[in-house]
Amino acid sequence: MKSIIKQIIGFAVLLGITASCADTNYPGGEVNPTIGIYDVRNLYKGSPVSLNVESLGGSNNISATVISDHSAGNIPEGLLIVQDAQRLDLLRGIAIPLGSQAKDFVPGDSLVINIDGAELDRVDDVLQIKNITIDKIQKVASGKTVFATMTNTARIAAKPYDYESTLVAIVKGGYEYSPTEGQVISGDQTINDGFGTITLTTDASSSIANLPQYKMANYYGIIFTKTVQDSVIGYQRLRKKSDLVELKSEYKVPKAIITGWTNDPKGTDSNNEYIQFMATEDIDFSKTPFSVVTTNNANASTPTGFPRKGWATGGMRTYKFNLTSGFAKKGTLFYVGGSKKLIMSTGSTSIADANWITSYDYAGNDGQGFGNKTSNLLANSGNAYGIAIFQGTEVTEQSIPEDVIFVATGGSLVGNGLGYRIANTDFYDIINPVSLKEQPFYRSGSNNNNIPYNTPSDAGYFNMMGGEYNIKLSRWTKARVKYAPILEKTSTLADIENPEFLTKLID
């Protein structure tokens, strides 16, 4: 793909404007004749705006890159769509009605457009700079890089006007059903990227209308908006065949997923840390054993440096529990951790009645296969720690977990071909969904998602991970989000098994 994806993870804009001439005008100063699209868009307050040197603060043109492509017939006819990042590196776009001449411009054309005397108005739900004639448009270059904002559907839903008329990449998008051969993208299709949904609109007359529906794909297209019952909704239109990129990385159903843990109970940590899991199928651990491995990457933990054997490094870096007996029914919770079985360290409620698959004295014993005994299984602050669950009790450098979660980012985590392997989850991808290159470890490529530490320490937090996993689709339809209640010594099992905040399985 020729487009280079520019990741813009979030927007936090503080814009202060003062009107005092004494503050803004300087002897001998000259106003930049070019104004950013961001500033032009902000002039619109619900009614038409005349654009002139006065309303534009002394400017008279915009300098922008074309993103519209009419070759497939899926962009509104007659609209030239351009974008720029002139203001605070924030990408913003605008539509310009040009009639049949709009199709004469192609993505990558760099234009200077004189907007003095034009009008800014919202027409057919699209914010436009009207009354621009072709003689006011100067093409100064072609073949320029076309940037796309890699974002998610939740951000678009929250601020649709920020994305309107810009090129956006929605990655790892899928349908809320399994597409069958012959199903195509024509019409309005609902795409889910794990953060929410967005409508993909493809005109039936477009040459791309018969592109197949993929189980998972990246969607590169322009965002438009519409008003539905007083709410502004963003939707996406692809421009050409190459805007749809199928993702072929394998996404299998993990047999167990991580739903919670306590790393810093109020009081001593020794044998009081534990991890909560949910089974996605009936598991008889005596017949289908598993293992759970934790990693603690404090600078003093040995062996130092990059993890030589990944999750199997051992020493003070990784510690393994074996799960070889007990039973967990599909959709139920089970626990792995220290021998105390208390909800929040010494003097707190016993949760021995929970489904403990493995309760092991990690402070007094080395790990079950590797790892030195430790009084602090999961770190309380500082460098990264991680949790992974594997099918089977043999874990090697090449083992890929069923599920994995990391907290924080510090320490010697990846390098020289060494690292902690990840699985395809709501947080991580073995194949980069944009570059399509291999990235097998945490902190390699785009695998940077992590959970932040709770503060202050020793407060008694329990980390609950709430999301939605669809078994039939083999994918997360709602990415996990942390909810971290502070538990009391009198808290009960119900407080950490609250269905309102737990991950949900969808069949």
Side-chain angles (χ1 to χ4, degrees), residues 140-156:
V140 296
S142 58
K144 304 293 286 186
T145 298
V146 179
F147 289 107
T149 301
M150 192 175 82
T151 189
N152 61 53
T153 55
R155 294 190 183 116
I156 295 171

Side-chain angles (χ1 to χ4, degrees), residues 159-444:
K159 295 183 177 181
Y161 285 154
D162 284 1
Y163 295 93
E164 183 185 41
S165 296
T166 67
L167 186 62
V168 159
I170 296 173
V171 302
K172 295 172 64 177
Y175 296 90
E176 296 184 322
Y177 54 87
S178 292
T180 58
E181 187 175 354
Q183 287 185 288
V184 297
I185 67 172
S186 180
D188 287 346
Q189 308 294 337
T190 299
I191 303 301
N192 182 304
D193 67 346
F195 296 90
T197 61
I198 193 169
T199 297
L200 178 73
T201 295
T202 309
D203 294 336
S205 60
S206 168
S207 64
I208 62 173
N210 289 324
L211 289 178
Q213 294 183 13
Y214 293 125
K215 181 177 180 180
M216 190 172 293
N218 293 341
Y219 297 82
Y220 301 88
I222 297 175
I223 298 298
F224 293 88
T225 62
K226 58 184 176 182
T227 302
V228 180
Q229 297 180 345
D230 298 326
S231 295
V232 178
I233 307 296
Y235 65 98
Q236 188 184 42
R237 284 180 176 269
L238 306 184
R239 304 164 303 162
K240 53 190 176 180
K241 182 178 180 179
S242 60
D243 283 346
L244 178 62
V245 180
E246 182 184 13
L247 298 179
K248 298 181 179 180
S249 185
E250 179 185 2
Y251 288 81
K252 67 174 186 176
V253 177
K255 292 180 172 58
I257 53 180
I258 301 165
T259 56
W261 67 91
T262 180
N263 64 297
D264 189 15
K266 191 171 185 177
T268 178
D269 291 4
S270 181
N271 280 320
N272 285 309
E273 297 168 86
Y274 56 91
I275 307 157
Q276 179 193 75
F277 300 88
M278 179 180 289
T280 64
E281 61 180 47
D282 291 350
I283 304 175
D284 182 342
F285 292 95
S286 66
K287 298 178 180 178
T288 309
F290 283 73
S291 53
V292 169
V293 181
T294 62
T295 176
N296 192 330
N297 295 278
N299 290 330
S301 294
T302 54
T304 59
F306 302 126
R308 299 171 193 172
K309 295 183 179 180
W311 289 100
T313 296
M316 297 302 293
R317 295 293 293 277
T318 64
Y319 190 96
K320 183 163 79 78
F321 299 88
N322 289 338
L323 286 61
T324 57
S325 63
F327 183 86
K329 187 175 177 60
K330 176 183 176 180
T332 64
L333 302 172
F334 64 90
Y335 294 84
V336 174
S339 57
K340 299 291 182 64
K341 299 183 182 180
L342 301 175
I343 197 164
M344 193 46 60
S345 192
T346 306
S348 67
T349 304
S350 171
I351 53 172
D353 289 340
N355 188 13
W356 286 87
I357 299 301
T358 296
S359 175
Y360 186 71
D361 180 5
Y362 61 77
N365 297 299
D366 289 341
Q368 296 174 302
F370 52 78
N372 295 348
K373 60 184 178 181
T374 177
S375 61
N376 190 206
L377 190 67
L378 301 169
N380 299 335
S381 62
N383 289 345
Y385 71 80
I387 302 165
I389 183 167
F390 298 84
Q391 185 171 341
T393 57
E394 182 180 355
V395 176
T396 70
E397 180 185 350
Q398 300 300 320
S399 297
I400 297 175
E402 294 285 302
D403 193 20
V404 57
I405 286 285
F406 273 93
V407 172
T409 62
S412 298
L413 304 175
V414 62
N416 297 336
L418 304 173
Y420 298 108
R421 291 189 182 274
I422 48 83
N424 286 323
T425 73
D426 49 343
F427 276 39
Y428 309 116
D429 298 282
I430 295 174
I431 303 295
N432 187 300
V434 176
S435 69
L436 305 183
K437 294 181 179 179
E438 291 188 6
Q439 46 177 39
F441 306 118
Y442 175 56
R443 304 295 292 171
S444 64

